[in-house]
Amino acid sequence: MEAKYLRDAGMAFAFAADPVFYKRCNSGHINDTYFVSCGEGFPRYVLNRVNTSIFSSPEELMANLKGVCSHVAAKVKAAGGNPDREVRKIIPTKDGGDYFIDPDGGYWRAFLEVDNVVAHDYADSPELFYKSAVAFGRFFKQLADYPAETLYTTIPDFHNTVKRMNDFKAAVEADVCGRVTEMKEEIDFALSKAHLCSFILDGLEEGKFKLCVTHNDTKLNNVLMDACTGEGVCIIDLDTVMPGSVLYDFGDAIRFGASSALEDETDLDKVYLDLYMFETFVKGFVGELGDSLNNDEILAFPMGAYLMTLEVAIRFLGDYLSGDVYYHILYPEQNRDRARNQLKLLRDMDDKMEQMNEIVRKYINK
Ligand code: GN1
Ligand code: MG
């Protein structure tokens, strides 16, 4: 169903012409996104209604985005690239604001759509996945000198896996929907990994891993790739850009893109970690980042992938137990199915940890 006020929002922005057609994008789990067409010969746009129950301070969110986008745009320009294409371009409202606020208090914002690009939900070739690794690596490098202290925390403790585990335990205790019995096996398995949750936080605290500006949601479909050449063009979904560890970005990219199946696959026999894809991503990422990574970070890549998978698994499972209050779902048991999918991937990573370790050892800086 089309969101209420979509058309009012469409008319509020300084587009090149009035919108004539809206198409819903179904891939985000949090915000509502629409592609906007303004007719032949005009650029296309993206309209996005921010989920303010999750991003509670939309003004701060937009301040982060403006800062990050203009920083990356300057880098793109300096490298002779095209900033209208290689970084998210924010479109102001007709009166120069960041947002259109609808009568129900909904916050809408708009971006220029990048032409001739594709976002993939699934890495159907190693080349494609390699190119995404290069694109995420480049973005990470572009933000290496961003003044991190100016970034607002859009979601506190976003990748604090210890806190995520505690929240999960609380959801199990509360059992508000009476779903704990059904999910006992999955819950016990997830809880048996609780002792691992502080690995990245400990490394950051000890100074083994660097605190950097990270994207924090490096799903393959957050890289727009050129439809002709397949090269990564533009990194999108910048709402969670915050200080963190490179292990978050590496790990989440593996969780999503080196899985043999989609996050929503319900046939668990199809879900496993593809080691060839894992190595492909390591190669692209390390190749792009070089010595901005230290060896402790490279050696911890397998744990980064493991913990990001565990984290998302307990978030999906916790949301199922709590009555599906966080993620968008298309059918009632979707969060349960997503959690089972991620836990299957995690079990497979348990079996493949030594092989992952062996792979990353080949890529450390000598
Ligand atoms: C959410 O909205 P989307 O699909 O880009 C979530 C990520 C999860 C991801 C799991 C703000 O991302 O953290 O990894 O779902 N984003 C937020 O697919 O919670
Ligand atoms: Mg996201």
Side-chain angles (χ1 to χ4, degrees):
M1 202 184 60
E2 183 177 299
K4 204 173 161 192
Y5 304 122
L6 170 68
R7 280 153 206 272
D8 301 283
M11 291 304 291
F13 286 91
F15 295 151
D18 289 346
V20 293
F21 182 71
Y22 298 88
K23 185 169 166 251
R24 195 183 155 91
C25 161
N26 282 321
S27 79
H29 292 152
I30 310 293
N31 297 324
D32 294 318
T33 303
Y34 294 85
F35 298 111
V36 181
S37 159
C38 298
E40 271 225 37
F42 292 109
R44 289 177 305 134
Y45 301 92
V46 179
L47 253 186
N48 191 238
R49 185 175 59 182
V50 176
N51 184 333
T52 45
S53 61
I54 290 174
F55 294 105
S56 54
S57 179
E59 284 82 10
E60 292 184 357
L61 184 74
M62 213 54 176
N64 278 4
L65 239 78
K66 282 160 92 174
V68 166
C69 292
S70 66
H71 187 87
V72 174
K75 294 276 158 97
V76 168
K77 244 187 256 173
N82 175 358
D84 276 357
R85 202 169 145 72
E86 292 167 48
V87 62
R88 257 298 182 230
K89 183 171 178 177
I90 301 165
I91 306 293
T93 59
K94 286 175 179 162
D95 50 15
D98 292 337
Y99 284 108
F100 163 70
I101 305 175
D102 70 34
D104 289 348
Y107 277 74
W108 295 80
R109 60 192 172 166
F111 304 105
L112 181 69
E113 176 60 316
V114 182
D115 263 347
N116 203 32
V117 287
V118 199
H120 298 272
D121 288 322
Y122 183 73
D124 48 18
S125 79
E127 292 74 30
L128 189 157
F129 198 41
Y130 178 86
K131 286 172 175 169
S132 79
V134 173
F136 279 128
R138 188 191 311 131
F139 184 77
F140 185 87
K141 259 190 356 201
Q142 286 165 331
L143 290 178
D145 58 348
Y146 192 81
E149 66 288 352
T150 63
L151 281 172
Y152 293 103
T153 299
T154 52
I155 301 183
D157 293 312
F158 191 62
H159 281 311
N160 181 337
T161 318
V162 173
K163 164 100 178 15
R164 295 287 189 186
M165 184 55 87
N166 289 337
D167 292 349
F168 173 65
K169 286 180 186 164
V172 175
E173 299 266 293
D175 193 16
V176 290
C177 297
R179 291 173 167 173
V180 164
T181 313
E182 174 203 0
M183 301 306 289
K184 176 134 189 359
E185 201 192 318
E186 288 84 352
I187 293 170
D188 288 348
F189 177 62
L191 291 177
S192 75
K193 306 297 178 190
H195 62 290
L196 300 171
C197 290
S198 69
F199 177 84
I200 301 177
L201 296 168
D202 292 345
L204 281 168
E205 207 165 289
E206 290 161 20
K208 232 166 86 177
F209 311 142
K210 292 181 298 284
L211 189 70
C212 310
V213 175
T214 44
H215 180 281
N216 296 313
D217 189 9
T218 44
K219 291 159 68 159
L220 175 67
N221 54 15
N222 282 334
V223 192
L224 302 181
M225 309 185 99
D226 189 284
C228 305
T229 66
E231 297 299 329
V233 174
C234 179
I235 302 292
I236 59 169
D237 195 0
L238 308 177
D239 296 335
T240 51
V241 172
M242 283 182 283
S245 160
V246 70
L247 298 175
Y248 301 151
D249 283 359
F250 175 86
D252 202 47
I254 294 297
R255 173 192 76 76
F256 191 84
S259 171
S260 59
L262 293 175
E263 208 176 60
D264 285 315
E265 177 59 61
T266 53
D267 179 352
L268 298 186
D269 289 341
K270 292 192 183 148
V271 183
Y272 59 88
L273 175 79
D274 185 321
L275 282 169
Y276 190 74
M277 290 298 225
F278 176 83
E279 178 153 8
T280 300
F281 195 91
V282 173
K283 204 187 286 174
F285 203 60
V286 174
E288 183 66 23
L289 287 175
D291 34 325
S292 1
L293 294 167
N294 66 42
N295 285 345
D296 283 330
E297 289 167 330
I298 297 173
L299 290 171
F301 278 170
M303 272 305 281
Y306 192 86
L307 286 178
M308 289 302 98
T309 307
L310 173 63
E311 190 180 287
V312 171
I314 59 179
R315 289 176 65 198
F316 282 145
L317 188 46
D319 198 32
Y320 180 63
L321 300 180
S322 307
D324 307 302
V325 290
Y326 188 90
Y327 291 107
H328 285 172
I329 48 171
L330 298 170
Y331 62 92
E333 297 83 22
Q334 193 168 13
N335 278 321
R336 178 199 67 188
D337 293 348
R338 288 167 173 159
R340 287 187 171 146
N341 172 307
Q342 296 294 293
L343 290 171
K344 169 67 202 299
L345 185 61
L346 197 70
R347 284 180 200 276
D348 195 51
M349 287 183 178
D350 267 330
D351 295 343
K352 291 176 177 159
M353 196 43 94
E354 199 30 57
Q355 295 168 74
M356 286 195 274
N357 285 333
E358 230 169 78
I359 291 170
V360 294
R361 280 197 286 271
K362 294 195 267 176
Y363 292 89
I364 56 170
N365 301 305
K366 300 271 153 56

